[in-house]
Amino acid sequence: MTPRVRLVAFLVVCLSVASGSVAYVLGVRSQQETASGSPGQPAPPALSSVESVPHIVFRSTSTGQRYGRVAMVPLSAPAGRPAFTSLSCDRVYAAMTSILCLASSGLSNTATVYPLSGAAGTRIPLVGTPSRARLSSDASWAATTTFVSGDSYAGASFSTRTVVTDLASASSADLETFTLVHEGRPITPHDRNFWGVTFADDNDAFYATVAFGHHTWLTRGSLRKRTLVTLREDAECPSLSPDGTKVAYKKRGDRDPGDWRLAVLDLATARETMLAEPRSVDDQVTWLDNERIMYGLPRDDAGGVQTDVWVARADGTGSPTVLVPDAWSPAVVR
Amino acid sequence: MSKEAGMYLSDRPRPAVLPDAVPGPRMASTRERVGRTVVLMGLVSLVTDISSESLSAILPLYVTAVLGLSPLAYGVVDGVYQGAGVLVRIAAAWVSDVADRPKWVALSGYAMSAFAKAALLLVSGFAALTAVVTVDRLGKGIRTAPRDAVISAVTPPAVLGRAFGVHRALDSIGAAIGPLVAFALLALTPGDYTPVIVVSLAFGLIGVALLGLVVPDVRPRRVPREAAPLASHSAPGVLRDPALRRVVAVAGVLGLLTVSDGFLYLTLQRRDDFAAQYFPLLFVATNVVYFLLAVPMGRLADRLGRHRLFALGHLLLVAAYAGAARETGGLAATGTCLLLLGAFYAATDGVLSALTSALSPVRHRALCLSATQTATAIGRLVSSIVFGLVWVEIGRGQALSVFAVALSAAVGMALWLFRGLPTTEESRVR
C-alpha cells in the first residue's frame, strides 16, 4: 500500500467509526425520548395525590430524561406509575415530609435536605461520591456516607467518610471524631472507616459499620455521648426495623470481597437469620414494615443502569419479588 | 569514552532512510525539530487516552451502579490493574527488539486494549470485569516500551528529551479530554453507560488505525549507523551495562518511595473539605500543568542532563508530600500540591524514557526501556503496599513526612550514582 492509499484507508476508518458511534448515541437518545414521552401513555399521576397517602419515595432508574429523578408511588400500588418530583439525586431518603438528596455531577457532589418535595433545600456538608443517605424517623437528623478518593481506588487507598448532622442546629460531625470502643477499650486505628448509619427513634442511639484491620463491625452509637461501641463482626450497612427490635445488614461470610448476603439480627436474642435472597446485595436495606425488607438490585441486562427495588421477608421465608420496578434508594413515608 | 561516543552518533537516523526525520543541520543541536513520527505517536496516544480515560472516569460509577459492586471490590479490580503485565511487558519489548518491529508490537498492545473495550459491552459480573480490565492493562504493558522505542529511533539523541516531552504533552491532552467526553455523553443519554463504552471503543479503534496505517514502520536496527552500535551484547547482557544498571536501580528506588496518587489525593481531601469540593477541577489542573510543562521540561532535560532532571524532578514530589503532610490545608495549599504533582510528572516520565534511550544500544532499546519502566512500576507497586502499612501504623500525614525525607535522601543517592554520566550528548560525543 502506498502512503496515500493508507492515508485514505485511515480516513475511511475514522469516518465509519465516527459516524457509527454518533449514530449509536443518537439512537439511544431518541429511544430514551420515545420511552419517556410516548403519546399513547397516560400522564404520570399528580405528586400531591401520591404525597397525601402512605408512599414510597425512590430514585427512578428508568432511562431517559427522568433517569435519576426522585419519584413516588403509593404504598398500595408500588408497581404502578410513579409521580415525579423535579429533584435529581444519586441517593435519596425520605422521612415525614423531608427528602435528603445526595447528588453527584462528576465535577461536584452535594447533599441537600428539602423540608417538602417542592421547597427550597438546605445544603449539608458532603465530600466524595455519594454512597448512603439516611434521615431519622422525625427528620431531625441526617447521615451521609461518601467514598473519598482521587481517581484511583487502588487497594487500601479506598476510604469512606460518614457525617451525621443535627438539622435543627445545622451542626455536623464526622464519625471519625467520635470515641470508638472495641472490646471495652477506646481505640483509634488509623485505618478506621465508617459507613451506613441508621437512627433509632430516640434521636440518640444509632447503628453504623466500622472497618479497621481488614474486619468490619456492627457498632451501636450514641449521638449525645459521641461514642460508638463494636457489637458484632461482619455486618455492614445496618438498618433498624421501625419497632427498633431488629437490625438488617449485609454480610460477607467467607465469600469474595464484594459478595454479600442479607441477614437480620434480633437485638434481644442476638439471633441472626439469613434472608431468602440468593443474590449478592450491595445496598443499605430499608424496612417496608416490621416484617419485610426492601433493597435495590441491578437488572441483568448489560449496559444500562436499570435497577429494581425488591422485597423479602425478614424471617427468611418466602422468595423475594420485585416491589418497585426501575427504582433505587427506597424509603417509606407514612 | 570513545565507544560510547560512537554509540550516540550511531543512533542518529539518516534523513535518506527516514523521510520524516529532522531536516536541517545534522550536527546535534537543541534547535532541531521533533519529527513527524513523534507527533503521530503523540496523536495515537492522545486518542487512545481519550478512549481509556473516558472509561476510567465512569468505571467506578459503572462498577457500582451497573454491576452492583462496591468500590471496595473495585479496589481489587484496580489491584489486578497494577499487577498485570510485568512479565508481558518485558517479553513484548524483547520481541519488539528481536523482530525489529516496535510499531507492530505496540499495535498489538493498542489493539488488545481496544478489544477489551469491545468486550466490556458484553460482560457482566465481577470475574468478567476483572478479565476485561486485565486485558486492557496487558495491552498497555505491551505497547509502552515499543512505542517509546519508535519515538527514540526517529529522534536525534540531542533532542530526545524534547521529543518525549512532545509525546507526553499530547498524551496528557487526551487524558484531560477523556473524562469531559464521558460526562458530556452521560448528560446526553442519562442512565445509559453503553454510549460511553461505544465512543471509548471508537477512539480506541481510531488510535489503532492511525498507528497501523499512518505511522511509518520504523525499523530501528536497519537504520544505517555511522559507527558500529554496541552490537556485541546479548539481550540480557545489555542490562549489565553499568550506566544502564544505575538508571534501573535509581528508577526502582525512587519508584519505591513514590506514594501512589490515590493516597496523596486521599490525604489532601481528608484534611480539608473546602478544597475537596473543588477537587475534580484541581485534578484537571494537574493534567494541564503536565501538558504545559512536558515540552519545557524535556528541553531542560536535554540541556541540564536527563539523569539530573530525572533525579531532581523527584524533589517536586518531596515538596508536594511536605505540603500534603501538614495538618491544615486550604484551596491554595491543596492546589499547589497538585500543581507540583503535575510538574513532577512532566520532569520525570518522558525524561526517564529519553535518559534510557540515550544510554541504550538501538538493538536492545525496547528491552532497556521496559527495564527502567518496569523498575519504576514494581517500585510503585511495593510502595503502595508499604505506604499503606506505614499509614496504618503512624497515620497519613506522618507517613507522608517519612516518605518525603526518604525520597529526598534517595534523590541525593541518585545524583551520586549518576555522577559519571555526561550532561548532554554533545559532551559525550566530544
Side-chain angles (χ1 to χ4, degrees):
Chain A
M1 280 198 285
T2 66
R4 182 182 291 271
V5 173
R6 288 188 297 158
L7 193 63
V8 170
F10 169 66
L11 293 176
V12 169
V13 170
C14 279
L15 266 176
S16 43
V17 163
S19 53
S21 48
V22 167
Y24 178 82
V25 173
L26 293 180
V28 169
R29 185 173 164 77
S30 76
Q31 216 173 27
Q32 288 188 346
E33 279 170 348
T34 326
S36 60
S38 56
Q41 288 178 336
L47 204 54
S48 55
S49 70
V50 180
E51 274 181 310
S52 60
V53 296
H55 56 276
I56 299 172
V57 176
F58 61 94
R59 173 183 197 252
S60 169
T61 58
S62 64
T63 55
Q65 301 314 307
R66 288 190 182 126
Y67 176 81
R69 291 261 289 278
V70 175
M72 303 176 185
V73 286
L75 210 49
S76 56
R81 290 181 61 73
F84 287 90
T85 71
S86 57
L87 300 175
S88 275
C89 314
D90 288 270
R91 296 290 185 273
V92 64
Y93 197 79
M96 309 290 279
T97 59
S98 295
I99 292 175
L100 169 60
C101 170
L102 312 191
S104 169
S105 73
L107 285 183
S108 71
N109 302 305
T110 56
T112 316
V113 179
Y114 299 90
L116 293 161
S117 65
T122 315
R123 288 272 284 272
I124 57 174
L126 191 80
V127 172
T129 312
S131 171
R132 310 291 176 210
R134 279 295 138 113
L135 290 168
S136 63
S137 59
D138 65 353
S140 62
W141 282 84
T144 62
T145 298
T146 48
F147 292 114
V148 184
S149 92
D151 63 342
S152 157
Y153 283 95
S157 65
F158 152 86
S159 172
T160 60
R161 181 180 292 193
T162 296
V163 172
V164 288
T165 303
D166 179 354
L167 294 171
S169 64
S171 57
S172 296
D174 189 325
L175 285 192
E176 286 195 18
T177 64
F178 280 33
T179 306
L180 175 64
V181 178
H182 180 60
E183 292 170 347
R185 280 178 302 136
I187 56 166
T188 53
H190 288 292
D191 61 341
R192 65 190 186 279
N193 275 303
F194 296 90
W195 61 87
V197 168
T198 181
F199 294 103
D201 283 346
D202 63 2
N203 283 331
D204 177 36
F206 68 96
Y207 295 83
T209 312
V210 65
F212 56 89
H214 303 290
H215 296 273
T216 61
W217 296 83
L218 176 67
T219 62
R220 183 185 159 94
S222 163
L223 294 168
R224 251 177 254 130
K225 290 187 278 184
R226 298 169 64 91
T227 55
L228 285 146
V229 181
T230 56
L231 295 182
R232 186 184 181 91
E233 209 186 326
D234 191 16
E236 298 176 53
C237 292
S239 176
L240 194 61
S241 62
D243 62 11
T245 61
K246 300 184 201 73
V247 175
Y249 45 76
K250 55 178 195 172
K251 61 184 293 131
R252 217 184 98 189
D254 45 16
R255 286 175 298 276
D256 289 337
D259 190 4
W260 291 280
R261 296 294 181 276
L262 295 180
V264 169
L265 179 73
D266 187 313
L267 289 168
T269 64
R271 222 191 107 208
E272 188 181 71
T273 308
M274 298 304 295
L275 300 198
E277 173 58 76
R279 291 164 291 183
S280 176
V281 175
D282 183 9
D283 193 12
Q284 184 175 18
V285 305
T286 42
W287 293 73
L288 180 59
D289 49 39
N290 283 316
E291 281 79 44
R292 290 177 296 171
I293 285 162
M294 303 185 286
Y295 48 90
L297 273 176
R299 213 174 289 161
D300 279 340
D301 43 5
V305 283
Q306 279 75 38
T307 55
D308 301 305
V309 167
W310 289 69
V311 63
R313 295 195 56 81
D315 60 7
T317 62
S319 57
T321 52
V322 172
L323 182 73
V324 190
D326 293 326
W328 186 260
S329 267
V332 180
V333 178
R334 286 176 203 278
Chain B
M1 266 306 183
S2 64
K3 193 172 79 172
E4 282 165 313
M7 175 180 127
Y8 288 106
L9 281 171
S10 71
D11 282 357
R12 201 179 305 135
R14 308 297 300 274
V17 182
L18 291 165
D20 66 303
V22 186
R26 291 280 77 216
M27 221 24 235
S29 118
T30 48
R31 297 234 157 271
E32 284 186 280
R33 293 199 13 237
V34 163
R36 193 176 74 106
T37 301
V38 174
V39 175
L40 283 174
M41 291 305 282
L43 293 174
V44 170
S45 291
L46 191 155
V47 287
T48 306
D49 259 29
I50 296 178
S51 168
S52 57
E53 294 301 315
S54 61
L55 214 51
S56 310
I58 62 148
L59 202 57
L61 284 173
Y62 177 78
V63 166
T64 50
V66 183
L67 300 178
L69 305 171
S70 79
L72 194 58
Y74 182 61
V76 179
V77 177
D78 213 53
V80 175
Y81 243 66
Q82 312 282 343
V86 164
L87 277 179
V88 177
R89 220 180 242 264
I90 294 189
W94 183 78
V95 171
S96 163
D97 283 333
V98 170
D100 197 26
R101 296 275 190 189
K103 171 187 150 169
W104 294 105
V105 175
L107 188 85
S108 69
Y110 282 102
M112 257 175 94
S113 294
F115 166 78
K117 272 135 213 165
L120 205 53
L121 288 169
L122 306 172
V123 305
S124 62
F126 187 63
L129 184 77
T130 309
V132 165
V133 166
T134 307
V135 170
D136 181 59
R137 284 290 111 174
L138 285 180
K140 191 173 168 59
I142 287 172
R143 70 188 179 235
T144 307
R147 176 198 71 196
D148 285 352
V150 170
I151 294 170
S152 74
V154 297
T155 303
V159 293
L160 275 170
R162 188 142 54 94
F164 280 105
V166 167
H167 174 266
R168 299 301 196 267
L170 289 167
D171 191 277
S172 68
I173 295 178
I177 295 175
L180 300 179
V181 169
F183 290 123
L185 282 168
L186 278 184
L188 204 63
T189 56
D192 197 338
Y193 286 67
T194 39
V196 180
I197 299 173
V198 167
V199 169
S200 164
L201 173 62
F203 277 107
L205 291 176
I206 289 173
V208 170
L210 182 60
L211 179 59
L213 294 167
V214 184
V215 174
D217 185 16
V218 176
R219 309 291 302 271
R221 289 187 177 190
R222 294 209 183 162
V223 176
R225 306 286 148 184
E226 286 165 13
L230 286 175
S232 51
H233 283 305
S234 60
V238 69
L239 298 176
R240 262 178 248 130
D241 175 72
L244 203 61
R245 267 163 86 172
R246 268 180 257 166
V247 176
V248 171
V250 165
V253 169
L254 292 176
L256 201 60
L257 297 168
T258 302
V259 176
S260 83
D261 291 357
F263 277 122
L264 192 62
Y265 294 147
L266 208 55
T267 309
L268 290 173
Q269 288 186 89
R270 287 196 83 87
R271 72 174 183 193
D272 160 19
D273 287 359
F274 178 66
Q277 280 182 358
Y278 294 93
F279 206 81
L281 286 175
L282 295 174
F283 179 66
V284 171
T286 306
N287 268 316
V288 171
V289 170
Y290 187 7
F291 161 67
L292 289 175
L293 291 184
V295 178
M297 286 290 194
R299 282 168 172 272
L300 186 63
D302 289 335
R303 292 218 186 92
L304 187 70
R306 287 139 201 160
H307 55 291
R308 286 200 191 119
L309 189 64
F310 176 71
L312 291 172
H314 283 78
L315 291 178
L316 294 163
L317 205 54
V318 170
Y321 293 168
R326 288 168 49 210
E327 280 301 312
T328 52
L331 196 54
T334 302
T336 307
C337 285
L338 292 177
L339 299 188
L340 285 167
L341 188 65
F344 157 71
Y345 279 119
T348 54
D349 189 58
V351 171
L352 178 61
S353 288
L355 170 62
T356 310
S357 298
L359 288 175
S360 55
V362 154
R363 293 172 55 79
H364 304 301
R365 185 158 296 161
L367 186 65
C368 296
L369 283 163
S370 85
T372 52
Q373 287 162 357
T374 304
T376 302
I378 293 177
R380 288 188 185 172
L381 192 64
V382 174
S383 150
S384 68
I385 297 164
V386 171
F387 185 82
L389 294 174
V390 176
W391 152 48
V392 170
E393 283 307 312
I394 62 175
R396 270 186 211 117
Q398 297 289 87
L400 270 178
S401 302
V402 168
F403 270 65
V405 170
L407 184 57
S408 34
V411 169
M413 180 214 74
L415 288 173
W416 179 75
L417 272 177
F418 282 162
R419 73 201 180 283
L421 301 187
T423 304
T424 61
E425 300 323 319
E426 285 91 330
S427 71
R428 282 197 107 167
V429 172
R430 229 174 274 137

